[in-house]
Amino acid sequence: MTKDSSSVLPEATQAPPPRAAPAARPVRGRFPLDARLAGLFGVFVLLCVVGWLTRPDAFFTEGNLSTVLRLAAAIGVVSVGMTFVIISGGIDLSVGSIVALSGVWATTLATQSFGPVVMVICALAVGLGCGLVNGVLVAYGRVVPFIATLAMYASARGLAERISGRNTQVVRQSGFLAFFRGDLLGIPVLIWMFAAVFVVGWVLLNRTTFGRRTFAVGGNTEAARLAGINVKRHTALVYGVAGLCCGIAALMVVARTTSGASTNGLYYELDAIAAVVIGGTLLSGGRGTLIGTLIGVLIFTVLGNIFTLNNLDTDIQNIAKGAIIVLAVLLQFRTRRRARRST
């Protein structure tokens, strides 16, 4: 019997075993910017250029930029909550009505008599409560999100009209107006509030277990359940987050208009869904970014500001918004089809 050739070679001349490739390290501390977000930001810059070309004397003034950001603040906060809901695979059509109900309840004479702190607590509690009701109906009642939130859309708006008597309730608490209409370091408090909600929302979505579970539930509900996630409880909490954002937005709208009315937050659900969709969040759930939502909110706000500065009709503005939404949805379908082909 002959010996194996490798056994007779000197030990020093044997080839070293191949080294395993180093494991890829996860990238941390970076915003998930991609080509699509960069393109979206390019659209925002292009709109700013158009605004400057059409009204060079008014667009880039300090007052106009402050107005744009204050207008974007309330709908931006609502869009943060909507992003959570859509990523989890749901939809919320009641956000505008919850904003109206929270604002009306916080500005009744009885509530104002207890002071500004109670007004704030009342608005947040009403928003959170409405959101949790939506979540319980969807998660435990197994009601389709579209139907559950549509019912809340009608009932919350109707309750707001009932409480206010379809009248505008003027805020008479000077402390409330002094704080929320004031400035901090030269920047309006409303903009600080929007920035704070966005940062907290980004951390919650991208750096916590709650955020990872939200993506998991939206991506594949059955897989999330098998992985040990309490899908029903998490779904209810996600709608609660959206309702709490509506309560914060109600305070911002009340502070900006110095009143609470059942007409506050009208069409906020459409603007929020549009901002989230063009920001890259999939309507089917499981994927999305808050940075994209932020850019989407700014695009719609700047677009409306350009139309206002140039005295253009709102119907043309709505047509432009509709066209942008259709293009965004078509781009989503194209992206998903390309992703399926690559897999």
Side-chain angles (χ1 to χ4, degrees):
M1 179 179 289
T2 60
K3 295 184 178 179
D4 183 61
S5 59
S6 61
S7 63
V8 299
L9 290 174
E11 186 176 352
T13 59
Q14 292 184 2
R19 296 181 178 178
R25 296 180 178 178
V27 179
R28 292 181 177 275
R30 296 181 182 177
F31 290 102
L33 288 176
D34 54 18
R36 192 177 186 284
L37 286 180
L40 200 61
F41 185 73
V43 173
F44 170 67
V45 174
L46 180 62
L47 280 176
C48 291
V49 172
V50 171
W52 176 68
L53 291 176
T54 55
R55 288 300 304 271
D57 58 328
F59 186 77
F60 274 120
T61 60
E62 181 181 354
N64 186 56
L65 293 180
S66 177
T67 300
V68 169
L69 291 177
R70 283 191 288 112
L71 289 175
I75 188 62
V77 170
V78 173
S79 299
V80 169
M82 184 68 78
T83 304
F84 276 83
V85 172
I86 294 182
I87 288 178
S88 70
I91 195 75
D92 192 345
L93 302 180
S94 64
V95 290
S97 298
I98 296 177
V99 169
L101 179 59
S102 301
V104 165
W105 212 320
T107 54
T108 60
L109 291 177
T111 307
Q112 292 193 51
S113 64
F114 289 100
V117 176
V118 175
M119 292 174 62
V120 172
I121 295 175
C122 179
L124 298 181
V126 171
L128 178 61
C130 291
L132 288 176
V133 169
N134 280 335
V136 169
L137 288 175
V138 172
Y140 295 95
R142 296 186 178 181
V143 182
V144 178
F146 178 84
I147 301 299
T149 57
L150 187 62
M152 179 62 74
Y153 168 86
S155 57
R157 185 75 67 181
L159 185 57
E161 291 178 352
R162 184 76 176 178
I163 293 175
S164 65
R166 298 186 178 181
N167 296 318
T168 300
Q169 301 176 163
V170 179
V171 177
R172 304 189 184 282
Q173 277 290 340
S174 57
F176 180 90
L177 297 177
F179 176 77
F180 286 102
R181 292 176 66 86
D183 296 342
L184 181 62
L185 301 177
I187 300 175
V189 171
L190 297 184
I191 299 176
W192 282 110
M193 291 175 64
F194 176 35
V197 171
F198 177 80
V199 171
V200 172
W202 189 89
V203 172
L204 184 65
L205 186 64
N206 297 283
R207 291 292 184 268
T208 66
T209 304
F210 184 88
R212 287 190 287 273
R213 289 178 176 175
T214 303
F215 281 104
V217 170
N220 191 323
T221 303
E222 186 61 20
R225 187 185 66 82
L226 294 175
I229 299 175
N230 190 331
V231 175
K232 291 183 178 180
R233 184 179 63 187
H234 190 81
T235 301
L237 291 177
V238 166
Y239 280 91
V241 169
L244 183 61
C245 288
C246 292
I248 298 173
L251 292 172
M252 302 167 81
V253 173
V254 168
R256 198 181 68 212
T257 62
T258 68
S259 63
S262 59
T263 55
N264 285 351
L266 206 59
Y267 303 126
Y268 268 28
E269 55 278 350
L270 300 181
D271 291 341
I273 293 173
V276 173
V277 170
I278 71 168
T281 299
L282 291 182
L283 282 172
S284 55
R287 180 183 173 186
T289 67
L290 275 177
I291 296 179
T293 298
L294 172 64
I295 301 175
V297 169
L298 292 177
I299 284 177
F300 277 122
T301 309
V302 169
L303 183 66
N305 181 253
I306 292 174
F307 276 77
T308 302
L309 290 178
N310 291 280
N311 296 321
L312 297 177
D313 295 333
T314 55
D315 51 355
I316 302 177
Q317 178 181 344
N318 292 332
I319 292 173
K321 284 184 177 180
I324 292 175
I325 295 171
V326 171
L327 289 176
V329 173
L330 291 176
L331 185 60
Q332 279 196 4
F333 282 128
R334 184 178 179 183
T335 304
R336 291 179 61 187
R337 186 179 302 174
R338 183 179 300 175
R340 289 176 179 173
R341 289 176 179 175
S342 62
T343 54

